[in-house]
Amino acid sequence: MSANPLDDRLRDLVGDRTAKVLGEHLDLHTTGDLLHHYPRRYAERGELTRLADLPVDEYVTVVAQIAKADKRTYGGGKGVRLEVVVTDGSGSLTLVFFSKAAHAHAHRLIPGRRGMFSGKVSVFNRVRQLAHPDYQLLDADDGDAEEAADAFANRLIPLYPACKQITSWRIAQAVDTALNSLAATGWTGVGEPLPDQLRADRGLAPLPEALEKIHRPRSKQDIAEARHRLKWDEAFVLQVALARRRAADAALPAVPRCPAADGLLTAFDAKLPFTLTDGQQAVSAEIFADLAAEHPMHRLLQGEVGSGKTMVALRAMLGVVDAGGQAAMLAPTEVLAQQHHRSITEMMGELAEGGMLGGSDVGTKVVLLTGSMGAAARRAALLDLVTGEAGIVVGTHALIEDKVQFDDLGLVVVDEQHRFGVEQRDALRGKGKQPPHLLVMTATPIPRTVAMTVFGDLDTSVLDQLPAGRSPIASHVVPAAEKPHFLERAWERVREEVEGGHQAYVVCPRIGDAEDTAEAAGGSRKKSAAAEQAPPDDERRPPLAVLDVAAQLASGPLRGLRVEVLHGRMAPDAKDEVMRAFAAGEVHVLVATTVIEVGVNVPNATAMVIMDADRFGVSQLHQLRGRVGRGSAPGLCLLVSEAPEASPARSRLDAVAGTLDGFALSEIDLQQRREGDVLGQAQSGARSSLRVLAVMDDRDVIEAARQEATDLVAADPELTAHADLRSALQSLLDADREEFLDKG
């Protein structure tokens, strides 16, 4: 037994078999995990939910009444299936059982009966259905359901996020067992993460009462009170962790880095062939003010695709070099590191050749450092860094290695922050004689409340203005299953762009080599027309692959064009050669994975076709689309999908096609995804702690919790007077490290 019963292992409570299922499939391992697995909604007596709105491809539990039930044969009379239509008064859902199951369930599933039905929603012949669902009838005619019927008659029914291996009502039974066990001991030992004074000031219920009410509500008021309390738990614990990190960072010393009056930055600005946007100038002013301070800058720079973040970051690096320091840019992939190195040296010209023949007197050396470099080139780069000869280095994770040493590291720029963990960021920062300044960049627009919750230890700057000369991008959904001729037309449009002197990208979700083909071997194939009456397959076909699609295009609709592939498992030299050829216009069509998602800048590329677009997230689609329209010619992005017209996946694609506003899309993305998905990778540990806090809707709670947390940490940095709060923080920490957030 643990000091806190919420830390007890589930197997001691519900038995090995149930505990194993809860652990393996829902990541619930302790009593606390189970009790913080909250109902996703509640069914009321007589309530009729809208079955027509059920999400496709998700496991759901519905409460409905059987309207009709029929047995039908298929396969020339060799097979039999039971079709049961359940209704909610405004829509219907079909339950399907095949073969022996059809006979086994026919005598129970008769019109007029009401029940809870659980399974994965699929679409067959444009009708939503559950194949072989689990169910529990809720009327007194069934002796096995007396307890469920009593619960149904007397209180709200909690419906839990479930999975194929365990139904909502089995989870409810486990929760009841846990609540009964804790109540029998008077909740002895269960800690209170919220300070007593905060709970009193905010009128928040005690934790035991909140857990009881959210799982066993007698009214909607119970649910509201419980959710409000539990939202505070989540917001406050997160904000305390962020406040502690902010306080620790603010206490560090740093060397102020002020650009020389007529140095490298001035020379660079003088040779720019364009004027910085108002947004770039304003953000640069914020950054240079931070760099002049005696404590480290910690700033997040987020902006629209193509808004000029790299230019802002480069000017900051040049300013630090001016002040006698060095700057390092950390990129997530070799392709992106090489692209950044190439574009920086091209923009700087002779200013990037400091100390070399023909280089500028105020210039510096810009070096590249990646894991795949040859030994001689690597030694030269390392020597340039340790001697201070190189003012700027662009690299991948290779920069973090122990053997990499700097003369005086003054600024770390992290590109695409979501690809790096805090420990990687800090490893690079640790290479400075004093803590260097930090600028992290992301091209994924983040709503304010998300930034406050995930990146709360960083000051935030936003670039939402595109530089002059950027062209509009037209986006369209291509419904390949419903209208195959639309896909044919898409390839014609690609050919037209190439004939007009431009280039195109084709993006696929998968590589298609031996390694990931083996992983996808368990995926299903598309059904033939002859198999229409066979039991439905739960799984979709494997995603389309770069190698397959490239071969099909080169021998089919794009025959005669130079088609090349690019993916993450290619040798670094091969990747660089393909990108160089594409940038030089020697390759007409580049078929790639999302390795081209960020940083790749080929102004002559005007068209992009994204295959299986529904397999990508909204923000990722927006990032990919930003690779075209980067020159003077308009861009075209075609989102190819076989998703049904009424499905949530198609709604997402329609949203992407409907706007170029990345901030609007990020809000749509957040509203359509589960909250846990948003922060799941952002927090240390596999799961998000956010289960009831909605970062888009609970801004007031987040802001209030941030202020309370800041005040508490200022008064008690080590939380010596708040043992339960310390325990709550520790429960969120990865077992292998002390850092709280893995900014993802």
Side-chain angles (χ1 to χ4, degrees):
M1 296 288 288
S2 308
N4 186 336
L6 294 184
D7 296 331
D8 289 347
R9 307 304 295 179
L10 277 177
R11 62 173 176 268
D12 299 327
L13 184 77
V14 297
D16 287 343
R17 181 178 299 178
T18 301
K20 183 178 181 182
V21 173
L22 291 171
E24 290 182 357
H25 300 286
L26 294 176
D27 201 18
L28 306 177
H29 304 280
T30 67
T31 300
D33 291 342
L34 178 63
L35 293 183
H36 288 99
H37 185 72
Y38 307 127
R40 61 179 177 83
R41 56 177 295 271
Y42 302 84
E44 298 180 71
R45 185 180 185 188
E47 177 195 30
L48 298 176
T49 59
R50 286 189 56 79
L51 297 181
D53 295 337
L54 292 176
V56 176
D57 289 333
E58 288 193 18
Y59 283 94
V60 301
T61 298
V62 301
V63 176
Q65 188 166 3
I66 299 173
K68 63 179 180 178
D70 297 302
K71 279 186 184 177
R72 302 177 185 274
T73 59
Y74 63 91
K78 295 180 180 178
V80 62
R81 71 178 184 275
L82 174 65
E83 291 185 3
V84 179
V85 178
V86 298
T87 182
D88 65 356
S90 63
S92 61
L93 178 71
T94 300
L95 316 177
V96 190
F97 300 87
F98 292 89
S99 305
K100 293 180 180 178
H103 299 294
H105 298 289
H107 72 284
R108 301 183 70 203
L109 299 176
I110 57 178
R113 303 193 74 174
R114 180 186 288 272
M116 292 190 290
F117 305 94
S118 180
K120 185 176 182 181
V121 181
S122 59
V123 175
F124 184 67
N125 286 341
R126 304 200 173 197
V127 175
R128 281 180 169 81
Q129 68 175 26
L130 303 181
H132 289 265
D134 287 316
Y135 63 88
Q136 189 167 19
L137 297 174
L138 297 173
D139 52 55
D141 294 339
D142 192 314
D144 294 337
E146 287 184 12
E147 186 177 337
D150 178 66
F152 183 63
N154 292 299
R155 63 179 173 91
L156 296 163
I157 298 178
L159 300 179
Y160 290 89
C163 61
K164 182 178 181 180
Q165 291 77 14
I166 188 166
T167 61
S168 172
W169 54 90
R170 301 295 180 212
I171 296 171
Q173 290 170 356
V175 168
D176 279 342
T177 300
L179 290 174
N180 291 339
S181 175
L182 289 167
T185 66
W187 293 79
T188 301
V190 174
E192 263 289 358
L194 299 187
D196 293 343
Q197 190 61 50
L198 187 156
R199 284 195 295 112
D201 292 345
R202 301 281 175 178
L204 301 173
L207 182 59
E209 180 182 328
L211 291 174
E212 183 75 33
K213 284 183 173 179
I214 201 163
H215 292 292
R216 295 170 169 173
R218 293 288 174 177
S219 66
K220 290 185 177 180
Q221 181 64 27
D222 279 357
I223 299 170
E225 290 175 3
R227 288 178 64 85
H228 184 60
R229 156 63 208 247
L230 295 167
K231 284 179 180 183
W232 260 94
D233 279 22
E234 295 177 359
F236 185 70
V237 172
L238 272 171
Q239 293 300 341
V240 166
L242 291 168
R244 294 183 78 191
R245 189 169 178 86
R246 283 196 304 274
D249 286 340
L252 296 172
V255 178
R257 308 284 181 172
C258 301
D262 293 306
L264 180 56
L265 179 60
T266 302
F268 176 77
D269 285 348
K271 70 191 294 292
L272 280 180
F274 53 82
T275 303
L276 297 178
T277 66
D278 292 343
Q280 286 175 314
Q281 293 181 36
V283 169
S284 289
E286 292 175 342
I287 291 172
F288 283 117
D290 285 352
L291 291 174
E294 294 185 350
H295 56 83
M297 172 177 73
H298 296 95
R299 185 165 291 278
L300 170 68
L301 173 58
Q302 59 164 318
E304 274 291 7
V305 177
S307 58
K309 294 182 298 298
T310 303
M311 174 60 68
V312 170
L314 175 56
R315 293 186 72 250
M317 291 192 287
L318 296 176
V320 168
V321 174
D322 254 354
Q326 294 169 289
M329 175 178 276
L330 182 61
T333 66
E334 292 206 355
V335 167
L336 187 51
Q338 291 161 348
Q339 178 78 32
H340 276 317
H341 180 258
R342 192 155 46 239
S343 62
I344 285 172
T345 52
E346 288 172 358
M347 284 190 287
M348 289 179 63
E350 73 280 2
L351 297 176
E353 299 170 354
M356 292 185 279
L357 189 64
S360 167
D361 291 340
V362 296
T364 189
K365 188 179 287 188
V366 180
V367 301
L368 176 69
L369 186 64
T370 65
S372 65
M373 289 173 62
R378 185 178 180 81
R379 277 196 302 271
L382 291 173
L383 184 62
D384 285 339
L385 291 180
V386 75
T387 62
E389 188 79 13
I392 295 175
V393 59
V394 181
T396 57
H397 294 77
L399 284 174
I400 301 172
E401 294 176 6
D402 291 341
K403 63 182 68 174
V404 178
Q405 296 181 9
F406 292 82
D407 177 54
D408 183 13
L409 180 61
L411 172 65
V412 173
V413 178
V414 180
D415 192 20
E416 284 310 307
Q417 168 72 355
H418 67 281
R419 308 285 187 93
F420 295 99
V422 164
E423 71 284 355
Q424 294 165 313
R425 179 184 89 182
D426 286 350
L428 186 52
R429 286 170 59 198
K431 293 182 179 294
K433 294 175 181 176
Q434 280 191 293
H437 299 279
L438 174 71
L439 178 67
V440 297
M441 302 194 298
T442 178
T444 304
I446 306 168
R448 180 173 178 271
T449 48
V450 178
M452 189 189 307
T453 306
V454 187
F455 299 99
D457 62 335
L458 302 172
D459 296 316
T460 302
S461 296
V462 175
L463 279 174
D464 54 8
Q465 179 183 6
L466 294 183
R470 287 299 300 264
S471 302
I473 305 172
S475 303
H476 304 282
V477 177
V478 178
E482 302 155 35
K483 300 178 180 178
H485 60 286
F486 277 31
L487 183 56
E488 295 171 11
R489 176 59 186 146
W491 301 127
E492 291 173 5
R493 283 291 291 114
V494 169
R495 187 176 282 278
E496 289 167 8
E497 290 296 311
V498 173
E499 290 171 351
H502 299 296
Q503 296 159 274
Y505 298 99
V506 177
V507 181
C508 302
R510 194 163 58 89
I511 297 172
D513 58 8
E515 189 170 333
D516 77 358
T517 300
E519 292 170 5
S524 66
R525 296 179 296 276
K526 288 183 66 177
K527 290 183 178 60
S528 65
E532 275 189 354
Q533 297 302 320
D537 191 339
D538 276 348
E539 304 298 329
R540 297 185 290 175
R541 62 161 170 76
L544 293 173
V546 165
L547 300 180
D548 298 336
V549 169
Q552 292 163 7
L553 292 177
S555 62
L558 302 185
R559 186 186 301 110
L561 303 185
R562 182 174 173 187
V563 178
E564 292 286 351
V565 301
L566 182 71
H567 59 77
R569 283 206 282 268
M570 291 169 60
D573 288 347
K575 284 188 286 192
D576 194 39
E577 180 57 35
V578 169
M579 276 310 304
R580 284 181 182 277
F582 190 64
E586 299 164 8
V587 172
H588 298 126
V589 179
L590 186 63
V591 184
T593 58
T594 55
V595 71
I596 57 113
E597 179 184 350
V598 291
V600 175
N601 183 29
V602 181
N604 194 50
T606 55
M608 174 176 287
V609 181
I610 303 178
M611 308 302 294
D612 280 343
D614 52 287
R615 310 257 184 167
F616 300 94
V618 169
S619 293
Q620 193 171 38
L621 291 171
H622 184 57
Q623 296 306 319
L624 289 166
R625 173 171 60 184
R627 298 307 105 203
V628 297
R630 302 179 74 85
S632 57
L636 173 68
C637 180
L638 302 176
L639 306 170
V640 180
S641 173
E642 295 180 358
E645 186 173 5
S647 66
R650 275 287 288 277
S651 297
R652 289 197 303 272
L653 298 184
D654 290 338
V656 174
T659 181
L660 293 174
D661 185 339
F663 285 89
L665 286 174
S666 71
E667 296 203 1
I668 292 170
D669 193 20
L670 190 53
Q671 288 162 357
Q672 291 188 344
R673 294 161 65 190
R674 287 190 177 93
E675 295 290 338
D677 292 340
V678 177
L679 296 178
Q681 293 179 18
Q683 294 173 206
S684 59
R687 291 178 294 118
S688 166
S689 69
L690 299 198
R691 296 173 179 84
V692 288
L693 187 72
V695 292
M696 292 298 293
D697 300 329
D698 295 322
R699 176 172 172 171
D700 291 347
V701 173
I702 291 169
E703 292 188 348
R706 181 181 176 89
Q707 187 57 56
E708 293 273 9
T710 301
D711 293 345
L712 184 144
V713 170
D716 184 4
E718 300 303 318
L719 307 181
T720 53
H722 303 280
D724 290 336
L725 176 56
R726 286 202 311 273
S727 297
L729 280 173
Q730 289 165 1
S731 72
L732 289 174
L733 301 182
D734 188 279
D736 298 327
R737 66 178 194 269
E738 295 179 357
E739 301 295 354
F740 175 65
L741 292 182
D742 178 4
K743 299 256 185 353

